[in-house]
């Protein structure tokens, strides 16, 4: 993932909003989504974020400003889902990125035709950006795993296989929604504290999980592996993801097969997918403690060691129903970086395909809860509140051990470092509604 002119920190757009310090969507980002104007009956279509606007790709393809491979890529990306564009692969993705960069940079000559294709971000609504065939959720943060197990067993360690392979389970596609998703507190079977037999009731331990979503591009045929050093030809980009979880149901059902009702009721993704090309300046080295198990050969490469990790900063906030009613903003819960994950995205994808499983354009992979090593870096309420025993303060006398009805969780992500332009992922927002009556 070599740097090129689209990563030049000195490059500026003719759209002033894209040049403002702290903007999520500068010229160097150019993430993709599927959108339409709020409240309209318009067809959803692909768009690219720039500053405070969405570049309507359907309009752009008719503006006579693109040609060749970039035009073909834009036509694919302008559809109601991004699947066909994802399937085209890196040469097409890069051709469109370079063409859009040229059209949006300050020195561009066709600005009026492009300006006519812009729609304000404040006036749009989104759909899930791809037709998701399969969803797989990983479990790859050692800090998160240890924090959770030690809530119950203070001296315990993760299972031996955690350090040998990226663990995962297959999730449910039908309840994946885009940012702004609202869902009812789920019912399930669990054993209440002090009881010996289970009940079927609304969960009492509603939680969130801070994750990233990895969107698959061309994929692989059944039976064919994806070598670690070729994974990035198959990954289109990354979004934010909240894999909502209910801990009382999850604990009761997870032996011996794993999550089911505890997680299949809702998963929320952010609308914007940031491409791997855009993230190239934020690659960083990945390492494993010398006295830990080292990866087997199919999960090991010098390229993964040198630049397999990504320094994506992440933050979780909570806005209670009371705070909204009183006109107050969200309270910050935690923050960390994806660079601490025990396994890289490359290792997750390579392991996923290693047994012969085919991946397809638009498939979604969750990274698993992202927690860091320090205080305040936990990616789930179960860690922050130590299983509900030490509720977290939200200010003004409000606190949480687990989530209450009306709570809205907001995930944000961004990348920044000296010598590179800050870029962001937007936000991933979801709200817990009261349980439906029996």
């Amino acid at each position: 993932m070599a740097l090129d002119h689209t990563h030049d920190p000195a490059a500026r757009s003719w759209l002033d909003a894209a040049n403002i310090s702290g903007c999520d969507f500068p010229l160097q980002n150019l993430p993709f989504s599927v959108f339409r104007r709020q409240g309209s009956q318009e067809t959803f279509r692909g768009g690219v974020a720039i500053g405070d606007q969405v570049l309507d790709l359907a309009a752009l393809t008719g503006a006579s400003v693109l040609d060749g491979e970039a035009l073909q890529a834009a036509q694919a990306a302008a559809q109601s889902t991004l699947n066909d564009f994802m399937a085209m692969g890196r040469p097409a993705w890069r051709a469109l990125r370079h063409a859009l960069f040229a059209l949006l940079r300050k020195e561009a000559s066709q600005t009026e035709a492009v300006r006519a294709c812009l729609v304000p971000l404040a006036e749009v609504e989104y759909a899930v950006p791809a037709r998701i065939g399969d969803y797989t959720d990983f479990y790859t943060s050692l800090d998160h795993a240890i924090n959770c197990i030690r809530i119950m067993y203070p001296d315990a360690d993760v299972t031996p296989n955690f350090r040998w392979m990226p663990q995962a389970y297959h999730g449910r596609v039908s309840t994946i929604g885009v940012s702004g998703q609202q869902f009812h507190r789920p019912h399930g079977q669990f054993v209440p504290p002090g009881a010996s037999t289970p009940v079927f009731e609304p969960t009492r331990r509603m939680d969130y999980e801070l994750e990233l979503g990895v969107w698959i591009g061309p994929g692989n045929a059944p039976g064919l592996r994806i070598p670690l050093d070729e994974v990035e030809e198959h990954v289109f980009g990354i979004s934010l993801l909240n894999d909502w979880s209910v801990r009382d149901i999850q604990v009761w059902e997870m032996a011996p097969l794993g999550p089911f009702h505890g997680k299949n009721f809702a998963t929320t993704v952010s609308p914007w997918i940031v491409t791997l090309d855009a993230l190239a300046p934020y690659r960083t080295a990945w390492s494993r403690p010398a006295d830990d198990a080292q990866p087997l050969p199919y999960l090991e490469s010098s390229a993964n060691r040198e630049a397999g990790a990504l320094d994506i900063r992440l933050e979780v906030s909570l806005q209670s129903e009371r705070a909204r009613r009183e006109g107050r903003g969200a309270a910050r819960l935690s923050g960390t970086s994806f660079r601490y994950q025990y396994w890289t995205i490359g290792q997750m994808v390579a392991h996923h395909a290693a047994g012969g499983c085919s991946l397809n354009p638009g498939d979604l992979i969750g990274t698993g809860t992202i927690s860091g090593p320090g205080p305040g870096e936990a990616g789930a309420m179960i860690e922050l509140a130590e299983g509900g025993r030490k509720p977290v303060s939200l200010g003004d006398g409000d606190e949480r051990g687990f989530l209450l009805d009306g709570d809205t969780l907001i995930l944000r992500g961004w990348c920044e470092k000296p010598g590179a332009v800050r870029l962001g992922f937007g936000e991933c927002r979801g709200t817990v509604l009261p349980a439906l009556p029996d």
Side-chain angles (χ1 to χ4, degrees):
M1 299 296 295
L3 302 185
D4 60 30
H5 67 285
T6 65
H7 304 106
D8 179 3
R12 293 291 182 269
S13 174
W14 48 260
L15 184 67
D16 290 339
N19 305 321
I20 296 173
S21 177
C23 170
D24 270 356
F25 306 127
L27 180 62
Q28 292 79 359
N29 192 349
L30 304 180
F32 291 83
S33 76
V34 168
F35 80 100
R36 69 181 180 188
R37 287 177 176 84
Q38 289 176 5
S40 74
Q41 296 302 309
E42 295 175 349
T43 300
F44 281 102
R45 68 272 192 189
V48 171
I50 179 71
D52 60 356
Q53 305 285 314
V54 183
L55 181 59
D56 184 338
L57 293 177
L60 191 72
T61 58
S64 301
V65 295
L66 295 171
D67 58 21
E69 189 173 21
L71 176 58
Q72 294 173 9
Q75 289 169 336
Q79 297 179 29
S80 59
T81 70
L82 297 176
N83 293 68
D84 287 352
F85 179 51
M86 291 172 168
M88 295 179 78
R90 186 165 304 285
W93 306 338
R94 187 164 289 168
L96 183 54
R97 175 178 170 83
H98 286 190
L100 296 179
F101 186 89
L103 290 171
L104 291 166
R105 71 180 306 169
K106 189 177 286 291
E107 296 80 5
S109 60
Q110 297 171 298
T111 58
E112 291 311 308
V114 177
R115 191 184 298 274
C117 301
L118 296 177
V119 181
L121 280 169
E123 298 177 9
V124 306
E125 60 186 13
Y126 304 98
V128 174
R131 184 178 60 257
I132 304 170
D134 288 295
Y135 166 49
T136 302
D137 191 41
F138 276 83
Y139 181 54
T140 59
S141 168
L142 182 62
D143 295 299
H144 169 69
I146 288 178
N147 287 344
C148 287
I149 197 169
R150 289 184 179 170
I151 290 171
M152 296 179 289
Y153 309 105
D155 298 322
D157 195 9
V158 294
T159 55
N161 61 351
F162 191 98
R163 291 182 169 87
W164 284 103
M165 65 179 182
Q167 296 182 345
Y169 73 96
H170 296 292
R172 183 73 179 170
V173 173
S174 62
T175 47
I176 296 176
V178 74
S179 183
Q181 182 179 23
Q182 299 182 341
F183 60 91
H184 293 278
R185 178 178 294 267
H187 285 69
Q189 186 180 131
F190 60 93
V191 180
S196 58
T197 57
V199 297
F200 183 81
E201 294 179 356
T203 177
R204 303 175 190 178
R205 296 195 159 202
M206 184 75 224
D207 204 352
Y208 63 91
E209 290 188 343
L210 168 65
E211 302 193 24
L212 293 176
V214 179
W215 295 87
I216 298 298
N220 59 308
L224 295 182
R225 298 177 182 176
I226 299 178
L228 179 57
D229 284 346
E230 296 179 17
V231 162
E232 291 177 5
E233 299 302 313
H234 299 268
V235 174
F236 173 67
I238 297 173
S239 66
L240 304 173
L241 185 149
N242 186 344
D243 193 43
W244 303 90
S245 301
V246 286
R247 304 304 183 182
D248 41 12
I249 297 171
Q250 181 184 359
V251 168
W252 174 240
E253 73 182 2
M254 66 187 297
L257 290 182
F260 188 53
H261 282 164
K263 289 178 178 285
N264 68 7
F265 57 93
T267 299
T268 310
V269 295
S270 57
W272 294 104
I273 303 176
V274 179
T275 64
L276 287 193
D277 269 340
L279 293 169
Y282 302 98
R283 307 302 291 263
T284 188
W286 173 85
S287 63
R288 176 66 59 82
D291 55 352
D292 276 16
Q294 300 304 304
L296 295 176
Y298 78 103
L299 297 174
E300 180 69 279
S301 78
S302 58
N304 187 69
R305 290 272 181 177
E306 292 166 8
L310 279 164
D311 187 10
I312 300 174
R313 316 288 179 86
L314 298 161
E315 186 177 80
V316 182
S317 300
L318 188 157
Q319 186 181 42
S320 67
E321 188 172 35
R322 173 188 165 194
R324 283 196 301 277
R325 191 169 58 247
E326 296 175 356
R328 292 184 284 114
R332 183 183 185 275
L333 296 180
S334 66
T336 188
S337 170
F338 183 63
R339 68 180 301 170
Y340 301 122
Q341 210 78 347
Y342 198 72
W343 296 97
T344 67
I345 287 172
Q347 290 167 321
M348 294 179 212
V349 175
H351 182 67
H352 200 314
C357 176
S358 61
L359 302 176
N360 297 298
D363 282 357
L364 177 62
I365 291 175
T367 59
T369 305
I370 302 165
S371 297
E377 293 192 68
M381 186 65 81
I382 190 173
E383 299 172 73
L384 288 172
E386 297 185 14
R389 295 193 297 266
K390 297 183 178 180
V392 178
S393 173
L394 304 181
D396 288 334
D398 215 355
E399 61 182 20
R400 290 291 182 277
F402 288 98
L403 303 182
L404 300 182
D405 295 343
D407 284 349
T408 294
L409 257 292
I410 305 148
L411 312 183
R412 293 188 176 89
W414 69 95
C415 298
E416 61 181 338
K417 73 172 189 178
V421 172
R422 179 197 183 278
L423 58 84
F425 290 72
E427 68 174 29
C428 180
R429 178 184 293 257
T431 301
V432 183
L433 302 178
L436 292 170
D438 290 340

